[in-house]
Structures are given as C-alpha cells and as structure tokens.
Amino acid sequence: MTDFRQQALDYHQYPTPGKISVELTKPANSSKDLALAYSPGVAEPVRAIAEDPDNAYKYTAKGNLVAVISNGTAILGLGNLGPLASKPVMEGKALLFKRFAGLDSIDIEVSHRTTQDFINTVANIADSFGGINLEDIKAPECFEIEQALIEKCQVPIFHDDQHGTAIVTAAGMLNALEIQGKELKTAQIVCMGAGAAAIACMELLIKCGAQREHIYMLDSKGVIHTRRNDLNEYKLLFANNTDKRTLEDVIEGADLFLGVSGPDLLKPEALKRMADKPVVFACSNPDPEIKPELAKQAREDVIIGTGRSDYPNQVNNVLCFPFMFRGALDVRATAITDEMKIAAVEAIRQLAKEQVPDEVLQAAGVDELSFGRDYIIPKPIDPRLSPRVSRAVAKAAVRSGVAKIDLPDNYMQD
C-alpha cells in the first residue's frame, strides 16, 4: 500500500504537476496569426457574439467545454476536506472527459460561506461553458444547489454523484433482474444509504418502473419510516409506513440490495435472508458493503456488482457522464432531462447484451465476456459506449425539447 501511495503521488507530480493542460487549436507563429488571434482580428467574433449569443458555439470553444465544479464537501469517501483538496479529483474528471468523449474541461474549486454564495458563483460563470458537471458536494446541499442552477442556467447541469451513479446503477440492475427472471415493478428493494447517490438511484429506478412503496431506505439511524421526526425533505420522500426498523427486518425476502453506505455492513447472514436469486450492488468504495467472494459463499444464486475494477460488474460512472455531456453538447441542450437519463440507461444496458469485440477482451485481460451473471454492464474501455450513449442522449434531448439544434447528419454512427 505504501508503494501504491508513492506511485500515485509520483503519477500526479511527474513529469509535470497535475493531469491536464491547455493546448492551442490555431496557429500562432506569424504576425498575421497573432493579428487574427487577438487584436484586431478578435473584434470580429466579439461583434458576432454580441449580435447573437449562439455564435459563441461557432467562434469559441464553448460547445466542447465542460466545467467540473466542486466545493470539496464530499470528496470521494474522504469527506469534507475543502475545495483545494478536491482539485486532484476534479482534474481526474477532466482527464476522463477528454479520454472517453474528446471533451475539454476545466476544474473549478469554489470557496464560499453559504450555499447561495456557491450557487451565485456557478450561475455567474455558467455561460462560459457548454455544460456544468457538479462533483463531490455533500447532501442535502447538493440537491438545493443543483435545482437552483437548473433554474438559473441555460446550459446542462449534471451532478454526477447523483445522476451518473443512478444511470449506471439502473442499467446494471435492470440487466441483473432480467437474468434472474425478475421484474423491477414487482421487486422488493433495500437501499442502504440515504445520501445524494442513494436518493438519485431510487428516484431513477422509480422512473424505470420500481414501486416507491416497495423501497426500504436506511440511513445511519436505521429504516426511514413515517414516524421519524428527523428527516429532511429528500429522505421524507422515502419514508415508509412500516414497523420495520433494522436492516435485518427489511432484508427478509428482498430481491434487490443497493449499498451506498460503508464497508462490510451487509453480513452474509443478512444476505441469506434475501429472496431467491437476489441482486446485490455493494458500491461503497474502496471497500464494499460485502465482498463478492463472501456474497457468493453465502448465496450461489446471487448477482453482485461493486464499484471496484478488480471484480466483475463494476458500477463505474465513466460508463455514463462523458457521453451524457457529449450528446447534450452536440445538440446544444439547455438541460439534462429524465428522458435523456433513461435513454442513457437503455443504451448502456443493451450494449451489454451484444458480442464483445476482441479489443475489449484484450484490454480487460480476459478470454471471453458474454451477457450473464458476471457481465451485466459494459466495460468502461468499450469504444462502442461513446457513439451509442451519446447518440441516445442527443436524440432524447431533441425529443424532449431541450436541444437548440437538430441531431447532426449521421451523428455518431458506429
């Protein structure tokens, strides 16, 4: 572990500190180049944009530029370490945008006194970008922040810890339930955790067909029920009218378990109380609620996913967020709609059912992958994700009326 720590520090320090840089897209070698790039030539696009703000997409990098913004209040699983400490994570997000979707992005870490200060800061700079990716902001403030920015801004706002997690989780869970011969509309669901990711996952599952009354959500005090008087407005949406109070109470006969809470909180004895052919997503990172080897010892019929790359069925947001923005920006979407999220869910889950190319097998270091209990969602390295998910999202943006331009001809045909 000490060696890995040093490797990680060296990776970020050498040969140049950080993970991103700015590159030029135009020549700047001659006097004429400089005259066009800056004064006096730059005045022409300035005038054009003043006449029509949409010309910013034509004459600047806005249409391929995402801001990754955080206040550092919920960094990975490390907690509230402050804005500057979040910078390596935000740079990492920028790296993933570029690597997987060809999108340029810049990280912005915001110090603020109040939630409204943060909202105002982001709203005031939003028009510089094609989209805003919010990251590592703690609940419940993240809900207020996202909703306020959606109302204030004319570019898509996407809190990846909520919606990216929800989209990939829903895709994997729908496929796992299909393999197990079950349907989401009748599934009994236990969600351990009640933060941003948990609430977003459950809300999206409901939009995909789950029944709210079949969902039992737990926080650090146990089951969220209607007789508790300590619930915020977001937890209250999942308050169940029940006498059940503990995980052991609600896990009995459950079909689906989602953990976004902490390590080793789902014991093998509790897993054994679930229904036949259960589905378990233990997404606490780096240590899941139950390790896959323990889960499979307890239940041979379980399908399990985690957030880790060293186990099958990794629930990884990189399956989603680069392509959500790629599709949204390419039709100049002004928002991310539920229809766009569900389109991403379907594109991701259907791709897992197709034959896996040799290049993906080689990159994954395996001889075979086929739709089944150990392969319910695509690998992040699958090059088909970009065209499939981006196209599905762009089409959904057009259908739902938030796109400012139509789908380009032959867009993302793979």
Side-chain angles (χ1 to χ4, degrees):
M1 184 59 71
T2 302
D3 287 346
F4 183 77
R5 178 179 184 275
Q6 191 58 53
Q7 289 172 20
L9 292 174
D10 288 348
Y11 174 89
H12 284 79
Q13 184 175 0
Y14 303 112
T16 303
K19 297 190 286 281
I20 60 174
S21 67
V22 174
E23 63 182 23
L24 301 183
T25 62
K26 301 292 189 295
N29 302 316
S30 66
S31 296
K32 183 177 181 181
D33 291 339
L34 297 178
L36 291 171
Y38 202 60
S39 182
V42 75
E44 299 312 320
V46 168
R47 293 186 183 103
I49 294 168
E51 291 173 2
D52 181 358
D54 280 347
N55 279 332
Y57 289 96
K58 185 185 296 186
Y59 298 120
T60 78
K62 175 182 170 79
N64 200 58
L65 187 62
V66 176
V68 183
I69 304 182
S70 181
N71 62 5
T73 53
I75 305 174
L76 304 175
L78 303 174
N80 184 357
L81 300 181
L84 190 58
S86 74
K87 190 172 179 66
V89 183
M90 302 310 114
E91 283 191 358
K93 216 57 186 284
L95 179 151
L96 296 174
F97 270 117
K98 189 69 171 181
R99 163 64 178 82
F100 289 99
L103 285 165
D104 296 322
S105 61
I106 190 72
D107 63 292
I108 299 173
E109 292 75 36
V110 178
S111 298
H112 62 96
R113 291 179 299 104
T114 67
T115 297
Q116 191 60 50
D117 284 344
F118 182 90
I119 291 168
N120 291 341
T121 297
V122 177
N124 288 337
I125 64 173
D127 279 347
S128 298
F129 305 95
I132 304 288
N133 185 103
L134 300 173
E135 190 79 15
D136 288 359
I137 302 170
K138 72 181 179 72
E141 290 86 349
C142 62
F143 303 113
E144 178 187 350
I145 287 168
E146 184 194 35
Q147 188 55 46
L149 289 173
I150 288 171
E151 293 171 4
K152 286 175 174 286
C153 300
Q154 293 301 306
V155 297
I157 308 294
F158 189 78
H159 184 203
D160 189 45
D161 299 312
Q162 291 184 59
H163 308 300
T165 302
I167 288 165
V168 180
T169 298
M173 285 184 166
L174 285 166
N175 277 352
L177 288 171
E178 181 180 325
I179 292 165
Q180 298 288 52
K182 299 186 177 187
E183 294 186 2
L184 185 58
K185 66 181 179 182
T186 57
Q188 297 292 318
I189 302 169
V190 173
C191 179
M192 195 163 192
I199 289 171
C201 285
M202 292 303 105
E203 289 290 0
L204 187 58
L205 282 180
I206 289 168
K207 291 179 175 69
C208 291
Q211 302 301 303
R212 192 177 293 271
E213 61 269 23
H214 292 171
I215 296 172
Y216 292 93
M217 185 177 284
L218 298 94
D219 62 10
S220 60
K221 297 181 181 179
V223 173
I224 293 174
H225 58 84
T226 52
R227 287 184 285 284
R228 283 179 54 174
N229 58 9
D230 60 344
L231 302 176
N232 62 42
E233 60 183 297
Y234 308 103
K235 291 183 181 181
L236 198 57
L237 294 171
F238 291 92
N240 222 305
N241 185 13
T242 179
D243 294 327
K244 298 177 180 180
R245 297 291 182 264
T246 67
L247 174 64
E248 288 69 26
D249 292 337
V250 297
I251 203 75
E252 187 74 43
D255 299 291
L256 194 157
F257 172 91
L258 171 64
V260 277
S261 48
D264 305 318
L265 294 178
L266 178 64
K267 303 301 182 186
E269 295 74 23
L271 174 56
K272 290 177 182 178
R273 301 174 71 169
M274 293 183 71
D276 290 342
K277 298 183 177 180
V279 174
V280 171
F281 275 34
C283 294
S284 175
N285 229 343
D287 299 312
E289 283 76 8
I290 186 169
K291 292 181 174 61
E293 54 268 31
L294 284 179
K296 290 180 178 180
Q297 286 174 12
R299 295 290 299 262
E300 292 183 353
D301 59 346
V302 70
I303 292 179
I304 182 164
T306 72
R308 292 176 52 149
S309 60
D310 53 348
Y311 290 116
N313 301 328
Q314 184 191 16
V315 182
N316 190 331
N317 287 15
V318 80
L319 292 170
C320 165
F321 73 83
F323 319 122
M324 288 294 299
F325 277 94
R326 180 78 277 166
L329 266 62
D330 286 344
V331 292
R332 301 184 191 174
T334 57
I336 302 289
T337 65
D338 288 339
E339 189 172 359
M340 292 161 73
K341 297 173 197 172
I342 293 171
V345 170
E346 283 301 309
I348 292 167
R349 68 179 295 241
Q350 294 306 326
L351 183 57
K353 300 177 184 181
E354 298 184 17
Q355 185 174 346
V356 181
D358 288 341
E359 63 183 297
V360 176
L361 297 177
Q362 292 171 10
V366 297
D367 295 327
E368 182 183 3
L369 284 173
S370 60
F371 185 59
R373 290 169 59 183
D374 288 330
Y375 180 66
I376 58 175
I377 41 180
K379 295 290 185 182
I381 48 182
D382 195 321
R384 299 171 297 174
L385 280 163
S386 182
R388 299 291 182 83
V389 181
S390 301
R391 181 173 175 81
V393 169
K395 290 174 69 175
V398 173
R399 286 196 305 270
S400 52
V402 295
K404 295 175 75 173
I405 62 172
D406 288 333
L407 203 68
D409 292 340
N410 301 315
Y411 177 69
M412 289 288 183
Q413 297 287 2
D414 60 343

